[in-house]
mmCIF file of all heavy atoms in Angstrom:
data_model
loop_
_atom_site.group_PDB
_atom_site.id
_atom_site.type_symbol
_atom_site.label_atom_id
_atom_site.label_comp_id
_atom_site.label_asym_id
_atom_site.label_seq_id
_atom_site.Cartn_x
_atom_site.Cartn_y
_atom_site.Cartn_z
ATOM 1 N N ALA M 1 114.852 92.002 86.453
ATOM 2 C CA ALA M 1 115.619 92.341 85.237
ATOM 3 C C ALA M 1 114.901 91.852 84.068
ATOM 4 O O ALA M 1 114.730 92.504 82.969
ATOM 5 C CB ALA M 1 117.085 91.823 85.208
ATOM 6 N N GLN M 2 114.324 90.642 84.073
ATOM 7 C CA GLN M 2 113.563 89.999 83.008
ATOM 8 C C GLN M 2 112.324 90.816 82.737
ATOM 9 O O GLN M 2 111.930 91.114 81.634
ATOM 10 C CB GLN M 2 113.260 88.558 83.314
ATOM 11 C CG GLN M 2 112.483 87.830 82.287
ATOM 12 C CD GLN M 2 112.248 86.430 82.711
ATOM 13 O OE1 GLN M 2 113.120 85.588 82.682
ATOM 14 N NE2 GLN M 2 111.037 86.057 83.114
ATOM 15 N N TYR M 3 111.585 91.158 83.730
ATOM 16 C CA TYR M 3 110.309 92.047 83.637
ATOM 17 C C TYR M 3 110.636 93.337 83.044
ATOM 18 O O TYR M 3 109.928 93.717 82.060
ATOM 19 C CB TYR M 3 109.710 92.147 85.006
ATOM 20 C CG TYR M 3 108.396 92.870 84.998
ATOM 21 C CD1 TYR M 3 107.207 92.142 84.823
ATOM 22 C CD2 TYR M 3 108.339 94.232 85.168
ATOM 23 C CE1 TYR M 3 105.995 92.822 84.768
ATOM 24 C CE2 TYR M 3 107.112 94.931 85.196
ATOM 25 C CZ TYR M 3 105.942 94.220 84.917
ATOM 26 O OH TYR M 3 104.724 94.865 84.871
ATOM 27 N N LYS M 4 111.749 93.981 83.490
ATOM 28 C CA LYS M 4 112.039 95.335 82.898
ATOM 29 C C LYS M 4 112.423 95.150 81.400
ATOM 30 O O LYS M 4 112.032 96.019 80.599
ATOM 31 C CB LYS M 4 113.163 95.952 83.689
ATOM 32 C CG LYS M 4 113.542 97.324 83.200
ATOM 33 C CD LYS M 4 114.672 97.961 83.959
ATOM 34 C CE LYS M 4 114.980 99.276 83.446
ATOM 35 N NZ LYS M 4 116.121 99.905 84.192
ATOM 36 N N THR M 5 113.121 94.120 81.008
ATOM 37 C CA THR M 5 113.565 93.960 79.652
ATOM 38 C C THR M 5 112.346 93.749 78.785
ATOM 39 O O THR M 5 112.185 94.237 77.673
ATOM 40 C CB THR M 5 114.475 92.719 79.533
ATOM 41 O OG1 THR M 5 115.661 93.112 80.316
ATOM 42 C CG2 THR M 5 114.810 92.436 78.076
ATOM 43 N N ARG M 6 111.391 92.897 79.315
ATOM 44 C CA ARG M 6 110.190 92.564 78.505
ATOM 45 C C ARG M 6 109.141 93.631 78.417
ATOM 46 O O ARG M 6 108.577 93.914 77.418
ATOM 47 C CB ARG M 6 109.487 91.333 79.205
ATOM 48 C CG ARG M 6 108.277 90.817 78.285
ATOM 49 C CD ARG M 6 107.684 89.512 78.900
ATOM 50 N NE ARG M 6 106.815 89.901 79.961
ATOM 51 C CZ ARG M 6 107.148 89.670 81.302
ATOM 52 N NH1 ARG M 6 108.233 89.050 81.582
ATOM 53 N NH2 ARG M 6 106.312 90.012 82.209
ATOM 54 N N THR M 7 108.940 94.387 79.545
ATOM 55 C CA THR M 7 107.921 95.491 79.553
ATOM 56 C C THR M 7 108.460 96.892 79.393
ATOM 57 O O THR M 7 107.704 97.781 79.119
ATOM 58 C CB THR M 7 107.088 95.385 80.821
ATOM 59 O OG1 THR M 7 107.935 95.723 81.939
ATOM 60 C CG2 THR M 7 106.523 94.011 81.049
ATOM 61 N N GLY M 8 109.721 97.070 79.666
ATOM 62 C CA GLY M 8 110.288 98.422 79.735
ATOM 63 C C GLY M 8 109.899 99.243 80.912
ATOM 64 O O GLY M 8 110.075 100.421 80.980
ATOM 65 N N SER M 9 109.315 98.574 81.884
ATOM 66 C CA SER M 9 108.834 99.261 83.155
ATOM 67 C C SER M 9 109.242 98.503 84.382
ATOM 68 O O SER M 9 109.551 97.315 84.327
ATOM 69 C CB SER M 9 107.326 99.328 83.014
ATOM 70 O OG SER M 9 106.760 99.797 84.240
ATOM 71 N N LEU M 10 109.284 99.290 85.426
ATOM 72 C CA LEU M 10 109.552 98.654 86.781
ATOM 73 C C LEU M 10 108.255 98.724 87.582
ATOM 74 O O LEU M 10 108.300 98.592 88.740
ATOM 75 C CB LEU M 10 110.603 99.396 87.485
ATOM 76 C CG LEU M 10 112.042 99.109 86.875
ATOM 77 C CD1 LEU M 10 113.090 99.962 87.563
ATOM 78 C CD2 LEU M 10 112.433 97.656 87.028
ATOM 79 N N THR M 11 107.134 99.150 87.014
ATOM 80 C CA THR M 11 105.883 99.230 87.765
ATOM 81 C C THR M 11 105.254 97.805 87.641
ATOM 82 O O THR M 11 104.612 97.451 86.639
ATOM 83 C CB THR M 11 104.943 100.280 87.074
ATOM 84 O OG1 THR M 11 105.685 101.474 87.030
ATOM 85 C CG2 THR M 11 103.657 100.408 87.914
ATOM 86 N N VAL M 12 105.442 97.063 88.725
ATOM 87 C CA VAL M 12 104.989 95.654 88.733
ATOM 88 C C VAL M 12 103.767 95.575 89.647
ATOM 89 O O VAL M 12 103.826 95.938 90.815
ATOM 90 C CB VAL M 12 106.096 94.802 89.361
ATOM 91 C CG1 VAL M 12 105.638 93.326 89.343
ATOM 92 C CG2 VAL M 12 107.465 94.931 88.582
ATOM 93 N N PRO M 13 102.662 95.029 89.099
ATOM 94 C CA PRO M 13 101.479 94.885 89.889
ATOM 95 C C PRO M 13 101.739 93.899 91.079
ATOM 96 O O PRO M 13 102.614 92.993 90.943
ATOM 97 C CB PRO M 13 100.472 94.144 88.971
ATOM 98 C CG PRO M 13 100.950 94.462 87.586
ATOM 99 C CD PRO M 13 102.463 94.663 87.693
ATOM 100 N N ARG M 14 101.171 94.220 92.258
ATOM 101 C CA ARG M 14 101.442 93.477 93.431
ATOM 102 C C ARG M 14 101.276 91.996 93.239
ATOM 103 O O ARG M 14 102.022 91.119 93.762
ATOM 104 C CB ARG M 14 100.581 93.981 94.544
ATOM 105 C CG ARG M 14 100.887 93.274 95.879
ATOM 106 C CD ARG M 14 100.003 93.747 96.986
ATOM 107 N NE ARG M 14 100.503 93.342 98.344
ATOM 108 C CZ ARG M 14 100.547 92.181 98.816
ATOM 109 N NH1 ARG M 14 100.203 91.096 98.145
ATOM 110 N NH2 ARG M 14 100.949 91.907 100.050
ATOM 111 N N GLY M 15 100.306 91.627 92.479
ATOM 112 C CA GLY M 15 100.057 90.071 92.344
ATOM 113 C C GLY M 15 100.737 89.490 91.199
ATOM 114 O O GLY M 15 100.503 88.288 90.907
ATOM 115 N N HIS M 16 101.634 90.170 90.491
ATOM 116 C CA HIS M 16 102.349 89.615 89.342
ATOM 117 C C HIS M 16 103.313 88.483 89.692
ATOM 118 O O HIS M 16 104.055 88.584 90.678
ATOM 119 C CB HIS M 16 103.061 90.732 88.623
ATOM 120 C CG HIS M 16 103.859 90.213 87.438
ATOM 121 N ND1 HIS M 16 103.217 89.797 86.316
ATOM 122 C CD2 HIS M 16 105.189 89.969 87.242
ATOM 123 C CE1 HIS M 16 104.106 89.336 85.423
ATOM 124 N NE2 HIS M 16 105.319 89.454 85.973
ATOM 125 N N VAL M 17 103.301 87.386 88.994
ATOM 126 C CA VAL M 17 104.190 86.306 89.107
ATOM 127 C C VAL M 17 105.068 86.251 87.836
ATOM 128 O O VAL M 17 104.475 86.130 86.757
ATOM 129 C CB VAL M 17 103.471 84.986 89.318
ATOM 130 C CG1 VAL M 17 104.501 83.852 89.458
ATOM 131 C CG2 VAL M 17 102.654 85.118 90.656
ATOM 132 N N GLU M 18 106.340 86.327 87.981
ATOM 133 C CA GLU M 18 107.263 86.243 86.792
ATOM 134 C C GLU M 18 107.873 84.837 86.717
ATOM 135 O O GLU M 18 108.355 84.330 87.715
ATOM 136 C CB GLU M 18 108.373 87.296 86.962
ATOM 137 C CG GLU M 18 109.261 87.421 85.859
ATOM 138 C CD GLU M 18 108.699 88.132 84.665
ATOM 139 O OE1 GLU M 18 107.576 88.842 84.762
ATOM 140 O OE2 GLU M 18 109.323 88.219 83.565
ATOM 141 N N GLN M 19 107.786 84.254 85.585
ATOM 142 C CA GLN M 19 108.355 82.962 85.352
ATOM 143 C C GLN M 19 109.724 83.050 84.808
ATOM 144 O O GLN M 19 109.963 83.660 83.781
ATOM 145 C CB GLN M 19 107.489 82.078 84.468
ATOM 146 C CG GLN M 19 108.073 80.657 84.349
ATOM 147 C CD GLN M 19 107.013 79.678 83.754
ATOM 148 O OE1 GLN M 19 105.964 80.042 83.401
ATOM 149 N NE2 GLN M 19 107.469 78.427 83.692
ATOM 150 N N LEU M 20 110.755 82.485 85.451
ATOM 151 C CA LEU M 20 112.094 82.496 84.983
ATOM 152 C C LEU M 20 112.344 81.389 84.001
ATOM 153 O O LEU M 20 111.638 80.422 83.864
ATOM 154 C CB LEU M 20 113.041 82.340 86.209
ATOM 155 C CG LEU M 20 113.011 83.487 87.204
ATOM 156 C CD1 LEU M 20 113.903 83.154 88.467
ATOM 157 C CD2 LEU M 20 113.396 84.801 86.568
ATOM 158 N N PRO M 21 113.417 81.502 83.148
ATOM 159 C CA PRO M 21 113.720 80.541 82.075
ATOM 160 C C PRO M 21 113.849 79.040 82.674
ATOM 161 O O PRO M 21 113.623 78.156 81.903
ATOM 162 C CB PRO M 21 115.067 81.045 81.507
ATOM 163 C CG PRO M 21 115.075 82.506 81.835
ATOM 164 C CD PRO M 21 114.341 82.667 83.089
ATOM 165 N N ASP M 22 114.271 78.960 83.897
ATOM 166 C CA ASP M 22 114.387 77.600 84.473
ATOM 167 C C ASP M 22 113.093 77.019 84.890
ATOM 168 O O ASP M 22 113.060 75.853 85.437
ATOM 169 C CB ASP M 22 115.435 77.513 85.628
ATOM 170 C CG ASP M 22 114.963 78.349 86.868
ATOM 171 O OD1 ASP M 22 113.793 78.863 86.836
ATOM 172 O OD2 ASP M 22 115.682 78.373 87.823
ATOM 173 N N GLY M 23 111.963 77.672 84.722
ATOM 174 C CA GLY M 23 110.620 77.258 85.023
ATOM 175 C C GLY M 23 110.163 77.680 86.450
ATOM 176 O O GLY M 23 109.091 77.510 86.799
ATOM 177 N N SER M 24 111.124 78.192 87.240
ATOM 178 C CA SER M 24 110.752 78.716 88.640
ATOM 179 C C SER M 24 109.937 79.927 88.491
ATOM 180 O O SER M 24 109.988 80.652 87.492
ATOM 181 C CB SER M 24 111.923 78.785 89.489
ATOM 182 O OG SER M 24 112.722 79.826 89.012
ATOM 183 N N GLU M 25 109.134 80.206 89.493
ATOM 184 C CA GLU M 25 108.327 81.439 89.533
ATOM 185 C C GLU M 25 108.655 82.258 90.737
ATOM 186 O O GLU M 25 108.962 81.796 91.802
ATOM 187 C CB GLU M 25 106.836 81.046 89.596
ATOM 188 C CG GLU M 25 106.330 80.334 88.330
ATOM 189 C CD GLU M 25 104.870 80.029 88.420
ATOM 190 O OE1 GLU M 25 104.293 79.944 89.492
ATOM 191 O OE2 GLU M 25 104.293 79.902 87.283
ATOM 192 N N VAL M 26 108.625 83.636 90.446
ATOM 193 C CA VAL M 26 108.939 84.580 91.523
ATOM 194 C C VAL M 26 107.669 85.470 91.626
ATOM 195 O O VAL M 26 107.139 86.026 90.616
ATOM 196 C CB VAL M 26 110.087 85.471 91.124
ATOM 197 C CG1 VAL M 26 110.306 86.564 92.206
ATOM 198 C CG2 VAL M 26 111.355 84.601 91.049
ATOM 199 N N ARG M 27 107.127 85.612 92.837
ATOM 200 C CA ARG M 27 105.982 86.505 93.067
ATOM 201 C C ARG M 27 106.609 87.938 93.144
ATOM 202 O O ARG M 27 106.976 88.467 94.152
ATOM 203 C CB ARG M 27 105.304 86.160 94.368
ATOM 204 C CG ARG M 27 104.712 84.824 94.316
ATOM 205 C CD ARG M 27 104.091 84.273 95.619
ATOM 206 N NE ARG M 27 103.120 85.282 96.163
ATOM 207 C CZ ARG M 27 102.974 85.490 97.494
ATOM 208 N NH1 ARG M 27 103.651 84.664 98.350
ATOM 209 N NH2 ARG M 27 102.068 86.311 97.917
ATOM 210 N N LEU M 28 106.915 88.506 91.939
ATOM 211 C CA LEU M 28 107.638 89.641 91.817
ATOM 212 C C LEU M 28 107.089 90.853 92.530
ATOM 213 O O LEU M 28 107.868 91.701 93.106
ATOM 214 C CB LEU M 28 107.947 89.975 90.238
ATOM 215 C CG LEU M 28 108.921 91.074 89.979
ATOM 216 C CD1 LEU M 28 110.247 90.878 90.610
ATOM 217 C CD2 LEU M 28 109.087 91.171 88.490
ATOM 218 N N GLY M 29 105.784 91.114 92.384
ATOM 219 C CA GLY M 29 105.224 92.344 93.072
ATOM 220 C C GLY M 29 105.433 92.285 94.533
ATOM 221 O O GLY M 29 105.842 93.248 95.141
ATOM 222 N N VAL M 30 105.225 91.053 95.114
ATOM 223 C CA VAL M 30 105.420 91.009 96.560
ATOM 224 C C VAL M 30 106.826 91.070 96.925
ATOM 225 O O VAL M 30 107.263 91.736 97.893
ATOM 226 C CB VAL M 30 104.795 89.631 97.060
ATOM 227 C CG1 VAL M 30 105.203 89.351 98.503
ATOM 228 C CG2 VAL M 30 103.304 89.603 96.882
ATOM 229 N N TRP M 31 107.712 90.495 96.081
ATOM 230 C CA TRP M 31 109.199 90.546 96.374
ATOM 231 C C TRP M 31 109.676 91.959 96.379
ATOM 232 O O TRP M 31 110.444 92.306 97.305
ATOM 233 C CB TRP M 31 109.922 89.691 95.250
ATOM 234 C CG TRP M 31 111.395 89.628 95.415
ATOM 235 C CD1 TRP M 31 112.064 88.760 96.180
ATOM 236 C CD2 TRP M 31 112.323 90.515 94.785
ATOM 237 N NE1 TRP M 31 113.445 88.988 96.135
ATOM 238 C CE2 TRP M 31 113.567 90.084 95.292
ATOM 239 C CE3 TRP M 31 112.286 91.599 93.982
ATOM 240 C CZ2 TRP M 31 114.819 90.736 94.951
ATOM 241 C CZ3 TRP M 31 113.461 92.214 93.624
ATOM 242 C CH2 TRP M 31 114.686 91.807 94.150
ATOM 243 N N ILE M 32 109.292 92.737 95.440
ATOM 244 C CA ILE M 32 109.722 94.185 95.405
ATOM 245 C C ILE M 32 109.210 94.921 96.629
ATOM 246 O O ILE M 32 110.016 95.632 97.276
ATOM 247 C CB ILE M 32 109.190 94.882 94.101
ATOM 248 C CG1 ILE M 32 109.941 94.300 92.886
ATOM 249 C CG2 ILE M 32 109.446 96.414 94.280
ATOM 250 C CD1 ILE M 32 109.335 94.835 91.568
ATOM 251 N N MET M 33 107.997 94.697 97.042
ATOM 252 C CA MET M 33 107.441 95.353 98.227
ATOM 253 C C MET M 33 108.234 94.926 99.430
ATOM 254 O O MET M 33 108.536 95.779 100.361
ATOM 255 C CB MET M 33 106.003 95.082 98.423
ATOM 256 C CG MET M 33 105.075 95.778 97.424
ATOM 257 S SD MET M 33 103.333 95.527 97.640
ATOM 258 C CE MET M 33 103.142 94.944 99.289
ATOM 259 N N ASN M 34 108.630 93.666 99.487
ATOM 260 C CA ASN M 34 109.384 93.175 100.675
ATOM 261 C C ASN M 34 110.764 93.755 100.665
ATOM 262 O O ASN M 34 111.275 94.143 101.759
ATOM 263 C CB ASN M 34 109.528 91.646 100.670
ATOM 264 C CG ASN M 34 108.201 90.991 100.988
ATOM 265 O OD1 ASN M 34 107.374 91.541 101.603
ATOM 266 N ND2 ASN M 34 108.154 89.685 100.612
ATOM 267 N N GLN M 35 111.379 93.967 99.506
ATOM 268 C CA GLN M 35 112.804 94.482 99.447
ATOM 269 C C GLN M 35 112.723 95.975 99.927
ATOM 270 O O GLN M 35 113.569 96.471 100.658
ATOM 271 C CB GLN M 35 113.360 94.380 98.072
ATOM 272 C CG GLN M 35 113.530 93.008 97.500
ATOM 273 C CD GLN M 35 114.172 92.112 98.508
ATOM 274 O OE1 GLN M 35 115.294 92.281 98.994
ATOM 275 N NE2 GLN M 35 113.452 91.049 98.773
ATOM 276 N N LYS M 36 111.612 96.626 99.475
ATOM 277 C CA LYS M 36 111.522 98.066 99.862
ATOM 278 C C LYS M 36 111.295 98.258 101.351
ATOM 279 O O LYS M 36 111.897 99.073 102.096
ATOM 280 C CB LYS M 36 110.370 98.746 99.050
ATOM 281 C CG LYS M 36 110.325 100.241 99.235
ATOM 282 C CD LYS M 36 109.390 100.825 98.236
ATOM 283 C CE LYS M 36 109.390 102.359 98.292
ATOM 284 N NZ LYS M 36 108.474 103.006 97.337
ATOM 285 N N THR M 37 110.402 97.365 101.942
ATOM 286 C CA THR M 37 110.205 97.362 103.354
ATOM 287 C C THR M 37 111.462 97.113 104.100
ATOM 288 O O THR M 37 111.684 97.696 105.185
ATOM 289 C CB THR M 37 109.147 96.336 103.751
ATOM 290 O OG1 THR M 37 107.938 96.618 102.973
ATOM 291 C CG2 THR M 37 108.802 96.254 105.255
ATOM 292 N N ARG M 38 112.330 96.234 103.660
ATOM 293 C CA ARG M 38 113.572 95.791 104.342
ATOM 294 C C ARG M 38 114.769 96.607 103.925
ATOM 295 O O ARG M 38 115.898 96.248 104.309
ATOM 296 C CB ARG M 38 113.796 94.330 104.098
ATOM 297 C CG ARG M 38 112.721 93.456 104.486
ATOM 298 C CD ARG M 38 113.045 91.993 104.108
ATOM 299 N NE ARG M 38 112.002 91.186 104.507
ATOM 300 C CZ ARG M 38 111.538 90.170 103.792
ATOM 301 N NH1 ARG M 38 112.079 89.847 102.584
ATOM 302 N NH2 ARG M 38 110.478 89.459 104.121
ATOM 303 N N ARG M 39 114.586 97.704 103.139
ATOM 304 C CA ARG M 39 115.807 98.307 102.626
ATOM 305 C C ARG M 39 116.826 98.824 103.647
ATOM 306 O O ARG M 39 117.951 98.822 103.371
ATOM 307 C CB ARG M 39 115.317 99.541 101.710
ATOM 308 C CG ARG M 39 114.774 100.682 102.459
ATOM 309 C CD ARG M 39 114.373 101.766 101.431
ATOM 310 N NE ARG M 39 113.280 102.532 102.000
ATOM 311 C CZ ARG M 39 112.475 103.288 101.317
ATOM 312 N NH1 ARG M 39 112.649 103.490 100.016
ATOM 313 N NH2 ARG M 39 111.513 103.906 101.915
ATOM 314 N N ALA M 40 116.342 99.174 104.820
ATOM 315 C CA ALA M 40 117.276 99.634 105.920
ATOM 316 C C ALA M 40 118.215 98.512 106.320
ATOM 317 O O ALA M 40 119.266 98.763 106.796
ATOM 318 C CB ALA M 40 116.415 100.165 107.064
ATOM 319 N N THR M 41 117.859 97.272 106.109
ATOM 320 C CA THR M 41 118.630 96.166 106.511
ATOM 321 C C THR M 41 119.300 95.418 105.335
ATOM 322 O O THR M 41 119.988 94.477 105.603
ATOM 323 C CB THR M 41 117.826 95.153 107.324
ATOM 324 O OG1 THR M 41 116.703 94.634 106.605
ATOM 325 C CG2 THR M 41 117.204 95.785 108.595
ATOM 326 N N LEU M 42 119.007 95.835 104.078
ATOM 327 C CA LEU M 42 119.674 95.190 102.974
ATOM 328 C C LEU M 42 121.157 95.583 102.933
ATOM 329 O O LEU M 42 121.568 96.673 103.303
ATOM 330 C CB LEU M 42 119.003 95.634 101.654
ATOM 331 C CG LEU M 42 117.565 95.149 101.460
ATOM 332 C CD1 LEU M 42 117.014 95.747 100.128
ATOM 333 C CD2 LEU M 42 117.562 93.627 101.368
ATOM 334 N N THR M 43 121.932 94.613 102.424
ATOM 335 C CA THR M 43 123.363 94.930 102.273
ATOM 336 C C THR M 43 123.639 95.926 101.125
ATOM 337 O O THR M 43 122.770 96.123 100.331
ATOM 338 C CB THR M 43 124.223 93.605 101.913
ATOM 339 O OG1 THR M 43 123.761 93.189 100.650
ATOM 340 C CG2 THR M 43 123.941 92.553 102.928
ATOM 341 N N THR M 44 124.699 96.559 101.248
ATOM 342 C CA THR M 44 125.116 97.527 100.143
ATOM 343 C C THR M 44 125.106 96.817 98.775
ATOM 344 O O THR M 44 124.647 97.444 97.844
ATOM 345 C CB THR M 44 126.485 98.091 100.478
ATOM 346 O OG1 THR M 44 126.520 98.696 101.788
ATOM 347 C CG2 THR M 44 126.941 99.208 99.378
#
């Protein structure tokens, strides 16, 4: 959500790391790929 607000896009490079306001970091590009790979098992 933060990336989309900042860039206006959901096209995230695979190696992109997004820093959250609390200082934690999310490997967002990898995270999105993992969610897409696991979509059949994700909850509604």
Side-chain angles (χ1 to χ4, degrees):
Q2 178 178 289
Y3 183 88
K4 183 179 179 184
T5 298
R6 188 179 74 254
T7 67
S9 172
L10 289 173
T11 305
V12 181
R14 186 182 193 290
H16 178 73
V17 177
E18 187 74 13
Q19 185 164 1
L20 295 175
D22 67 2
S24 63
E25 293 183 338
V26 175
R27 295 172 56 209
L28 187 57
V30 172
W31 182 84
I32 291 172
M33 287 181 21
N34 287 342
Q35 300 313 304
K36 191 170 184 178
T37 299
R38 299 178 185 138
R39 70 180 152 198
T41 60
L42 291 176
T43 64
T44 303

